[in-house]
Amino acid sequence: MAQKTKKWEEWIQIRGETAKYVSYADYFTHRRLFKVLRIKNGADEAVQNLTLTLENENGMLLPYEKTFEEIPFESVINVETESVLSPLYFATLDAEKEEKIVATLKKDKKVVASAEWTLKALPFDYWQGTDGDVEMLASFVRPRLADCAKIRTDAMEQMSKWGVNFEAGGYIGNDKNAVRRMMAGVFSAIRRLSIEKKQADISLPVEAGAGVKIISERKASGLELALFVCACFEHIGLNPLLVVGNKEITCGAWLYDSCFTDTVSDDEERLKAYVSDGINNVSCFDVEDLFSDKNVAYTTSEAHFRQKLEGGKYYESYVDIRRCRISSVMPLPMRARGLKGYEMLSETDASPDALPTDLTNTQSLKLEKEQTKDKQWERRLLDLSMKNTLLNFSPTKGVAHLCSSDLDELLDALSQNGDTLLAGATREGAEIAKKGIKYGVSKEARKLRELISIENRSGILRSYLSEEMLLETVGKLMRKNKEAYEESGTKILYIALGFLRWYTREDGAEHYAPLVLQPVTIKKSKGGVGYSLSLDGDEVSINSTLLEYLKQEYNI
């Protein structure tokens, strides 16, 4: 026990390793800032109540603080640091910048350990290069670019000359030749643009989001052009591939509706088999043949790709874009400068073909002064006892508490996005959940407001539940809703928006009642991974049971 007189600074250490580069894409795709972050207690007794903070003086990190009740003696613990990057910082970053991260451990407000790391923050729309995460390239494939629609139109003209029906797009039947001709039509349309090649070293951080400028500037790097071609393929309903080497990149697509089991693979032999004559599951070509200094047909470009693949010196891995989408690696939003600075535009926001949303039909929320006899009878049948959850709501295990920074924004996002991915709590959300706050949680979540808002607009709706608990809870809700519909034709699945806190006259007991109810539908996400939520009709209803109770009990 002699060690009690010694300073904890001698026994506590922070050790970790960060990524070499970070960018907006890391934030958007939920990549971890730290490859590993550990706290070591080398003493022969446990240490209690340590508080860890992560800071960056330029605002690159969101506020981060975590308390450890106890770290056992002579032990090392791993620290999870999800969602610590600030989207606002990266959305406004226009040049590469060296940043410092400082980690501090305090006990009784006294610093007992600290560490710092230096990394490089990359401008918006930059990829880390081949030393980074290759899977992240899928987020730079943006099929809703306006220029993709133009290429589709030009490809249709070429297809009509070949006597091929291109109207439907996508995979229809099992005609691989028809799909390959679609790809050749896109190849021809892009080839006619006479794009000049820009030099870019993809082994280093490099711009990857210039697809919006390719047609207007007629310039692109091999990486930018490959990403743009994949975006065009995805735009017409095909499942594209990126084939990546240390110095070179190209692309292709599946000739039937399929994908690999992995988002990224280095199995070159499998790819050789899939592009070979007789199997023809995949068609790839050499993207270098699309530049203005080359003049070859699509079939010749396919042969060039196979020659390079057989040579074994050009390509090291390939990225399946469809499989990445199933794994929730979605297209990055685009950045636009508005009156209030930069703003992030989702695919729908940036698409000229997007259907405008309906105008909001604002109605006054009031009880009718004169009601029909049927309506009056209906009201008498309402259950006004405390057993009714519309009057006395209890956040039990059968409820999924959702994150929202603003209810109007949330409803707008759900309306515009359609199917919205339900996701488990972030680290910060999990910390809030541990405090047991069920109502008024928005005060605790102020620091997450920006993150929640951006994710809602991007088609992600988070819960304060863990991913495992969320899946279990949503599964039960779906089953209950299905049973109710089969038994009585009634749907009972709603989002409750806002709660009234009220007290009974008899004993002053506190109760909560939902104010507004929005019917929703939950279903398995595409690919069978997780669940997605969508609005079930446009009708938002006021809690009529609550209104009737307030009228009868309080004459309100």
Side-chain angles (χ1 to χ4, degrees), residues 544-555:
S544 58
T545 302
L546 176 62
L547 293 177
E548 181 62 22
Y549 183 84
L550 294 175
K551 180 175 175 59
Q552 290 190 22
E553 294 294 321
Y554 298 93
N555 197 27

Side-chain angles (χ1 to χ4, degrees), residues 281-464:
N281 287 337
V282 170
S283 172
C284 294
F285 60 90
D286 189 351
V287 78
E288 297 291 320
D289 292 329
L290 284 173
F291 289 108
S292 57
D293 61 339
K294 301 292 179 64
N295 190 20
V296 299
Y298 183 79
T299 303
T300 306
S301 190
E302 283 181 311
H304 289 170
F305 168 78
R306 286 194 292 268
Q307 290 169 7
K308 287 185 174 181
L309 185 64
E310 290 291 340
K313 299 179 181 179
Y314 293 90
Y315 308 121
E316 297 174 358
S317 61
Y318 44 96
V319 184
D320 190 310
I321 306 301
R322 172 60 182 154
R323 184 65 184 83
C324 287
R325 300 293 187 244
I326 293 173
S327 296
S328 299
V329 183
M330 307 308 289
L332 285 169
M334 284 175 285
R335 185 179 67 167
R337 188 183 290 275
L339 294 176
K340 297 181 180 180
Y342 284 116
E343 60 178 338
M344 297 295 107
L345 301 179
S346 67
E347 289 188 330
T348 302
D349 294 332
S351 173
D353 301 322
L355 178 70
T357 56
D358 293 336
L359 298 174
T360 303
N361 182 19
T362 305
Q363 299 177 343
S364 58
L365 306 178
K366 61 181 181 180
L367 288 172
E368 301 172 12
K369 292 182 179 179
E370 296 183 6
Q371 297 180 324
T372 64
K373 290 183 178 179
D374 287 344
K375 191 69 176 178
Q376 293 174 7
W377 178 249
E378 224 176 87
R379 289 174 56 183
R380 290 193 192 103
L381 294 176
L382 291 173
D383 178 9
L384 301 182
S385 71
M386 290 303 98
K387 293 181 180 179
N388 191 338
T389 55
L390 293 176
L391 294 177
N392 184 24
F393 183 84
S394 177
T396 62
K397 292 183 178 180
V399 174
H401 192 176
L402 303 175
C403 301
S404 170
S405 59
D406 182 277
L407 294 181
D408 289 331
E409 283 187 7
L410 174 60
L411 279 178
D412 287 343
L414 290 174
S415 177
Q416 293 175 20
N417 293 333
D419 289 343
T420 299
L421 178 69
L422 290 172
T426 60
R427 179 194 55 79
E428 296 88 351
E431 290 297 318
I432 292 173
K434 287 180 182 178
K435 297 179 180 179
I437 302 173
K438 302 302 181 182
Y439 305 98
V441 73
S442 57
K443 295 180 181 179
E444 296 287 327
R446 279 175 183 166
K447 66 180 181 180
L448 303 179
R449 182 182 180 90
E450 180 186 2
L451 176 63
I452 292 171
S453 179
I454 290 175
E455 287 196 328
N456 287 170
R457 294 198 304 270
S458 301
I460 300 172
L461 179 57
R462 288 197 181 274
S463 167
Y464 287 103

Side-chain angles (χ1 to χ4, degrees), residues 86-227:
S86 168
L88 181 61
Y89 171 89
F90 289 101
T92 57
L93 190 62
D94 290 317
E96 188 174 309
K97 189 174 182 179
E98 190 171 274
E99 292 286 5
K100 182 185 293 184
I101 297 172
V102 178
T104 306
L105 266 176
K106 293 182 179 180
K107 178 175 172 58
D108 300 327
K109 298 183 179 181
K110 181 182 178 181
V111 176
V112 295
S114 64
E116 62 180 50
W117 302 266
T118 301
L119 48 71
K120 289 186 178 179
L122 301 179
F124 187 83
D125 263 348
Y126 264 60
W127 176 53
Q128 302 168 350
T130 52
D131 283 341
D133 191 340
V134 177
E135 181 188 84
M136 197 182 295
L137 280 173
S139 62
F140 293 95
V141 176
R142 294 160 163 151
R144 295 291 185 88
L145 291 175
D147 286 352
C148 291
K150 184 182 186 308
I151 295 299
R152 178 191 178 101
T153 301
D154 294 345
M156 286 174 63
E157 293 180 4
Q158 181 62 56
M159 296 284 285
S160 65
K161 294 178 182 178
W162 293 337
V164 179
N165 180 16
F166 184 65
E167 292 291 339
Y171 297 101
I172 300 176
N174 297 313
D175 191 346
K176 293 182 179 179
N177 281 316
V179 174
R180 185 165 166 270
R181 286 165 187 161
M182 291 182 197
M183 296 173 65
V186 171
F187 180 94
S188 175
I190 296 176
R191 179 67 188 81
R192 288 198 296 270
L193 296 175
S194 297
I195 296 173
E196 180 183 342
K197 184 177 181 180
K198 295 191 304 185
Q199 296 301 320
D201 186 353
I202 64 173
S203 66
L204 301 173
V206 62
E207 185 176 11
V212 292
K213 301 181 291 185
I214 286 180
I215 290 183
S216 60
E217 295 184 356
R218 297 293 202 273
K219 291 182 179 180
S221 66
L223 170 64
E224 291 166 345
L225 192 53
L227 292 170

